[in-house]
Amino acid sequence: MAAFWQQRGRRQESGGLGSVLDGLGSVFDVLLANARLVLGVSGAAVLAIATLAVKRLIDRATSPRDEGDPKAEQKSLEDSWQDLALIKTTPKPAKKQRREDLSEPLLSPARPVVPDPRGPSAPLGAPQVQSSPLRCLTLQEKLLSHSSQLAVPEFQVSLVPQLARSICSQLQNFLRSKFPELPFGRLSLSGALLDGLEVLAADHVHLMLPLLLDSGLWSLIPGEDTVVRNPQYWMIKRIDLGYFPRGCSPWDRFMVGRYLSSSVLNETLHKLLVASINWPAIGGLLGCAIHPVVASRELKLEVKHDQVDLSITLLPVVEMEDKVLLAVPPEGPVENLWLESFYRAEVSRLKELDAADSGARQLCLRILSGVCKRQPRLHKLGGSPLSHLILQLSDTTSDWAQESLADRFQQVLEELVASLEKGVLPCYFNPKINLFSGLLEEEIDGMGFVLYRAITEPEVLLK
C-alpha cells in the first residue's frame, strides 16, 4: 500500500510538472508565431534559437532517465552546457536604423586616442619603440644641413681638373707651334673648383693664358683717366715709340692706336679655336667631344663627357704693376679696355682670415653661392660681389666662428638688400669700383625682391 501511494505521488508530481511545461510550450509557440511581426527576421531568429535551447532543457528535465547509468547523466550535463553556449554565442541583432541616422555620414571622424596612464601594453618579448619628440630646426642647423647638400660629386672633383688639364696641354702645344714668336706664358687652370669654393656641380673652369709683356715697352693707364671713366678697367699703352718703334714688341700686331687691344687679341684667338684646331681628333684622344662656341664673344669650349658636361673659358691675362688684367672688354665700341680681376686676392684673403680665427667665411660664401646658382634672379649676384661683401663685413664684425654662421648669414642678406636699394656695392680692394655698375635696373629690382623677403624668412632660400 505504501509503495502504491509513493508511485501515485510520483505520477501526480510528474503530471503537474508536465502540465506546466505544456503551458510554457504553448506560450513559446505563440511567441514564435508572432516574433517575426514584432521583432523582425533577425530578432525572430535569435528568439527561435534561444527557445530551442530552453525546450531542450525542459525535455531533458521531464524525460525519465536511467538512474543507474552515469554516462547518461554526464551526457545530459554536456548537452546542457552546449545549449547554454549556443545562447551565449548567438549574435546580437543589428540595431534598427532610425530616420535621423540616414543623414549622418557613413565614416565618422576618428576619435583621439587617450593614452593609458599605466603605459602602453605590449606583448612579452616585443621590442619597445620609443617615438622621439618632433622639434623645429634652427636656422643654424638648417644652414649646416644645407651646406652638406652643396658638395660637388667626388667623381667630378677628380675628373674635371684632369680633363681640363689635358685640353690645356693640347692647346698650349698648338699655340706654341702656331705662334712661336708670341711669348705666351704657361696655361693654368683657375676657378672655384680648384679653390674648394665650387658648389653643386663642376660645370665650368677657366684657362688662364698669360701674355708676357716687356715692362719697358708697356705701361698701364687707369680707366678713370680715359673717356670711359670706369675705374674697373685699364688700358695698356705702348710707350717710347720714338726709341723703340712699332715692331720691337711681338705684341705690337694687336695694337689699336697706341694701345694693346683686348678685342683684336680675342678675335685672333677666336678664329684659331674655331677654324684651326682639330677638336674632333683631340676629343677622340681624350674620350670626349669638344666644340668651340662660335656665336659667343668669349673664348669658350663646350666639352661633353660620358660623366660630365663642362664649359671651359679661355682668358688672356696680363699681370703688370701688381694688377691682374683680363681681356674681357665691355660691350660697345671700346676695343682697348682690360678688366681688372680681384679673384685671386679675394680667395687668398678669405682663406687667410678663416685660418686666423677658424672662421666660417668660406662656408657662408659657398651657401650663398649655391643659393644664387639655384635662383635664376640671383645668378649675376654670385661670385665676386658676395666675396667682397663678406670681406667688408669681416672688417667690422669679428665673430665669424661656425657657431655664429646663422647670424652672419642673416647679416649678409641685410647688407645685400641695403646695397641693392642704393644700387652700389663698393669693391673691397678699390672702393671707387661699384660692383653693381654692370647690372640693369630690372635685374637689381628682381634681386631685391627675392632677398627682401628672405630677411624675415631666410629658410626660403634653402628650399
Side-chain angles (χ1 to χ4, degrees):
M1 190 65 146
F4 171 77
W5 282 111
Q6 185 178 4
Q7 185 178 0
R8 184 181 178 189
R10 287 180 181 176
R11 285 200 302 267
Q12 288 178 352
E13 183 180 357
S14 176
L17 179 60
S19 62
V20 172
L21 293 177
D22 291 340
L24 288 175
S26 62
V27 172
F28 290 150
D29 292 337
V30 172
L31 289 176
L32 289 175
N34 296 280
R36 186 170 184 178
L37 296 176
V38 177
L39 302 177
V41 177
S42 60
V46 174
L47 182 59
I49 295 173
T51 303
L52 178 60
V54 175
K55 288 183 70 177
R56 287 180 181 178
L57 293 174
I58 294 173
D59 291 340
R60 282 193 291 273
T62 56
S63 62
R65 68 173 183 265
D66 190 356
E67 296 180 356
D69 188 3
K71 292 184 179 180
E73 184 177 358
Q74 181 67 25
K75 183 177 180 181
S76 176
L77 290 174
E78 291 177 357
D79 293 340
S80 300
W81 282 113
Q82 291 176 2
D83 293 336
L84 290 176
L86 179 64
I87 297 174
K88 280 187 176 183
T89 56
T90 303
K92 294 183 179 180
K95 183 180 178 182
K96 186 177 180 180
Q97 196 173 26
R98 298 176 297 174
R99 182 180 297 274
E100 54 270 21
D101 294 338
L102 297 177
S103 61
E104 296 181 359
L106 294 178
L107 296 176
S108 58
R111 296 181 180 179
V113 179
V114 180
D116 189 354
R118 296 172 299 176
S121 59
L124 294 178
Q128 297 291 334
V129 179
Q130 298 180 355
S131 58
S132 59
L134 297 177
R135 64 187 183 93
C136 296
L137 296 178
T138 63
L139 178 59
Q140 175 82 9
E141 293 170 331
K142 290 180 180 179
L143 288 173
L144 293 176
S145 176
H146 184 74
S147 65
S148 63
Q149 304 173 10
L150 300 176
V152 179
E154 286 296 331
F155 74 92
Q156 293 186 8
V157 174
S158 59
L159 174 62
V160 168
Q162 180 181 356
L163 186 59
R165 288 190 179 96
S166 298
I167 296 174
C168 178
S169 177
Q170 295 292 328
L171 183 57
Q172 182 86 67
N173 294 335
F174 184 85
L175 288 174
R176 287 176 177 174
S177 62
K178 183 69 175 180
F179 303 109
E181 73 281 3
L182 294 179
F184 287 111
R186 185 175 181 82
L187 275 166
S188 61
L189 301 184
S190 178
L193 176 65
L194 303 174
D195 297 311
L197 299 176
E198 187 62 270
V199 293
L200 297 176
D203 53 3
H204 66 280
V205 69
H206 293 156
L207 289 185
M208 313 302 289
L209 177 61
L211 279 62
L212 304 181
L213 301 182
D214 186 351
S215 59
L217 300 177
W218 303 91
S219 66
L220 300 182
I221 306 296
E224 55 189 333
D225 294 341
T226 65
V227 67
V228 295
R229 303 294 180 186
N230 190 337
Q232 195 170 3
Y233 290 91
W234 293 75
M235 300 181 74
I236 304 176
K237 184 179 181 180
R238 180 70 157 82
I239 59 175
D240 292 336
L241 284 175
Y243 295 98
F244 305 98
R246 183 185 293 265
C248 291
S249 172
W251 302 106
D252 288 346
R253 57 186 292 186
F254 301 105
M255 281 198 310
V256 174
R258 296 183 62 180
Y259 301 93
L260 183 62
S261 174
S262 55
S263 297
V264 174
L265 177 63
N266 281 338
E267 290 174 2
T268 303
L269 294 175
H270 189 273
K271 293 177 182 178
L272 179 73
L273 293 178
V274 172
S276 301
I277 302 179
N278 189 356
W279 292 116
I282 296 177
L285 181 64
L286 301 178
C288 61
I290 306 174
H291 304 282
V293 181
V294 179
S296 175
R297 295 179 67 248
E298 298 177 317
L299 306 175
K300 186 176 292 186
L301 301 173
E302 297 292 344
V303 181
K304 293 187 178 297
H305 191 270
D306 291 340
Q307 296 180 312
V308 67
D309 290 342
L310 177 64
S311 175
I312 298 179
T313 302
L314 179 64
L315 292 174
V317 56
V318 171
E319 296 187 32
M320 289 183 63
E321 302 176 10
D322 298 329
K323 309 293 182 184
V324 179
L325 306 178
L326 305 178
V328 183
E331 296 184 2
V334 182
E335 299 180 342
N336 302 330
L337 295 180
W338 293 71
L339 176 67
E340 184 173 7
S341 173
F342 301 98
Y343 175 77
R344 190 187 302 171
E346 296 165 17
V347 175
S348 176
R349 182 60 176 164
L350 284 172
K351 292 186 175 183
E352 178 185 350
L353 291 173
D354 276 350
D357 58 7
S358 301
R361 297 171 184 82
Q362 297 175 79
L363 177 58
C364 185
L365 176 60
R366 283 197 297 269
I367 295 175
L368 289 168
S369 298
V371 168
C372 294
K373 201 168 186 178
R374 286 175 171 171
Q375 290 275 354
R377 291 186 177 182
L378 302 181
H379 278 179
K380 292 189 176 181
L381 192 58
S384 288
L386 295 175
S387 301
H388 286 252
L389 184 56
I390 291 176
L391 289 175
Q392 291 171 8
L393 291 177
S394 297
D395 290 343
T396 58
T397 305
S398 58
D399 185 9
W400 280 90
Q402 185 167 329
E403 293 76 12
S404 303
L405 176 62
D407 295 335
R408 300 290 78 78
F409 183 83
Q410 186 91 25
Q411 187 178 7
V412 171
L413 294 181
E414 294 173 358
E415 292 295 329
L416 276 175
V417 171
S419 298
L420 288 169
E421 287 178 349
K422 297 181 294 185
V424 176
L425 178 60
C427 172
Y428 178 76
F429 301 99
N430 185 358
K432 297 179 181 179
I433 298 174
N434 177 18
L435 299 178
F436 287 165
S437 61
L439 297 177
L440 301 176
E441 185 175 354
E442 295 79 6
E443 294 172 335
I444 292 179
D445 292 341
M447 295 176 185
F449 176 79
V450 174
L451 295 176
Y452 183 79
R453 178 190 173 191
I455 289 180
T456 56
E457 194 178 355
E459 292 83 359
V460 299
L461 297 177
L462 307 180
K463 297 179 180 178

